[in-house]
């Protein structure tokens, strides 16, 4: 009996003194991390008209982690590029615009995107002679009567495009050679070329210059260019100022021979003999 009384008293003492097996205070949950910064990423800073790219919005959290974030997207110029609620950006027209996004009261630094036409591919159609001027020995030839203002001749162009540069081959009537150049900020294509052509033993140097063409839909091209011809042993040159008429992107058709050719190179070779 003494042992039971002692055990009860000992038990009572432990409870009264708050022994180690007593109730514990609840543990507070970790605070939910908050967004501290937003970043927009994309795989490119350049799109072609009608091309799309999905931009990604990433949130940096207060605990140092990062995660994809939903946000409100905006393009500074919908005429250049549009963006939907999922960050999908689509090129609409030539130029530059900024793409931005907001989430949880924060705004990501905007990303600049440039939009250009898609010149890559084969183009075919015709061009119109807008002017013919001669000087030096060429002024004594009949070339401007043979290739007169208003004459329409066939045209073809095959290009490859790397960002804002382009290179390929042009066929203007039966004059063909390489060209290369760049695409300006407004979407205009500017190329130049210099190459020889030979007919019946006569070599004529060709210069493609003052080229400015454009497309707004990647399917129809308009613009102008000039051809300058010179020949060894002759002073001066002949220049044809030209404008594109109906030129469209076509299936893979040969650049030459072109239907409707007037054999421009033969006319030029004949002019050098006079």
């Amino acid at each position: 009996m003494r042992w039971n009384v002692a055990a009860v008293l000992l038990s009572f003492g432990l409870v009264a003194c708050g022994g180690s097996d007593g109730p514990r205070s609840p543990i507070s949950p970790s605070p939910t991390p908050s967004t501290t910064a937003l970043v927009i990423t994309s795989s490119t800073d350049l799109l072609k008209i009608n091309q799309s790219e999905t931009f990604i919005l990433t949130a940096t959290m207060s605990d140092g982690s990062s995660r994809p974030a939903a946000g409100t997207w905006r393009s500074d110029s919908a005429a250049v590029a549009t963006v939907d609620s999922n960050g999908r950006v689509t090129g609409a027209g030539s130029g530059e615009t900024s793409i931005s996004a907001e989430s949880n009261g924060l705004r990501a630094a905007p990303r600049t995107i440039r939009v250009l036409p898609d010149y890559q591919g084969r183009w075919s159609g015709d061009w119109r002679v807008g002017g013919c001027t001669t000087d030096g020995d060429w002024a004594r030839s009949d070339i401007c009567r043979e290739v007169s203002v208003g004459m329409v001749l066939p045209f073809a162009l095959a290009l490859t495009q790397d960002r804002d540069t382009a290179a390929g081959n042009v066929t203007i009537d039966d004059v063909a050679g390489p060209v290369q150049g760049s695409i300006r900020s407004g979407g205009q294509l500017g190329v130049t070329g210099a190459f020889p052509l030979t007919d019946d033993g006569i070599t004529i140097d060709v210069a493609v210059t003052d080229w400015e063409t454009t497309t707004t839909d990647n399917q129809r091209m308009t613009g102008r260019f000039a051809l300058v011809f010179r020949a060894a042993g002759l002073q001066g040159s002949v220049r044809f100022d030209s404008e594109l008429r109906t030129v469209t992107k076509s299936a893979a058709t040969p650049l030459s021979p072109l239907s409707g050719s007037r054999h421009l190179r033969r006319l030029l070779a004949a002019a050098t003999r006079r």
Side-chain angles (χ1 to χ4, degrees):
M1 190 69 178
R2 285 183 188 172
W3 182 88
N4 289 338
V5 172
V8 170
L9 291 174
L10 178 61
S11 174
F12 179 79
L14 289 174
V15 171
C17 293
S20 59
D21 292 331
R24 298 177 180 179
S25 300
I27 299 174
S28 301
S30 299
T32 301
S34 59
T35 302
T36 59
L38 296 171
V39 177
I40 298 172
T41 57
S42 66
S43 62
T44 183
D45 60 355
L46 186 147
L47 291 175
K48 294 178 180 179
I49 293 173
N50 297 329
Q51 182 184 6
S52 296
E53 171 77 15
T54 298
F55 284 27
I56 304 298
L57 183 63
T58 301
T60 300
M61 312 305 293
S62 57
D63 62 359
S65 65
S66 61
R67 62 187 66 174
T72 301
W73 293 87
R74 180 177 181 273
S75 169
D76 281 354
S77 175
V80 175
T82 61
V83 59
D84 67 13
S85 59
N86 296 315
R88 185 174 176 83
V89 179
T90 302
S94 297
E96 284 189 353
T97 188
S98 292
I99 304 297
S100 58
E102 295 182 359
S103 180
N104 295 323
L106 297 176
R107 185 172 187 267
R111 287 292 302 269
T112 299
I113 187 81
R114 182 182 179 190
V115 179
L116 300 174
D118 182 5
Y119 287 103
Q120 179 154 323
R122 291 181 179 269
W123 302 79
S124 62
D126 51 42
W127 61 284
R128 175 183 176 275
V129 180
C132 177
T133 55
T134 59
D135 59 11
D137 295 332
W138 289 89
R140 296 193 295 271
S141 72
D142 293 329
I143 190 64
C144 286
R145 283 197 294 269
E146 297 283 358
V147 187
S148 58
V149 173
M151 181 177 288
V152 176
L153 297 170
F155 170 94
L157 178 67
L159 288 176
T160 58
Q161 181 175 335
D162 180 13
R163 290 181 60 87
D164 60 352
T165 62
N169 287 277
V170 65
T171 300
I172 304 166
D173 194 56
D174 61 348
V175 173
V179 292
Q180 61 180 356
S182 61
I183 303 166
R184 304 183 185 116
S185 58
Q188 302 92 343
L189 173 67
V191 298
T192 59
F195 50 88
L197 64 88
T198 303
D199 190 272
D200 196 20
I202 296 176
T203 300
I204 298 173
D205 293 322
V206 184
V208 181
T209 186
D210 295 340
W211 186 296
E212 185 174 290
T213 58
T214 189
T215 177
T216 58
D217 60 3
N218 302 332
Q219 296 299 320
R220 294 178 294 273
M221 185 188 296
T222 59
R224 59 180 175 80
F225 62 91
L227 296 173
V228 179
F229 300 94
R230 295 180 174 86
L234 294 182
Q235 297 294 319
S237 63
V238 56
R239 174 185 171 111
F240 296 117
D241 288 292
S242 313
E243 60 184 34
L244 297 182
R245 284 172 25 103
T246 305
V247 173
T248 58
K249 190 175 286 189
S250 59
T253 55
L255 287 182
S256 61
L258 296 173
S259 61
S261 174
R262 300 296 291 267
H263 305 295
L264 180 57
R265 76 160 94 191
R266 292 188 180 181
L267 295 174
L268 290 164
T272 66
R273 299 189 186 98
R274 297 173 183 171

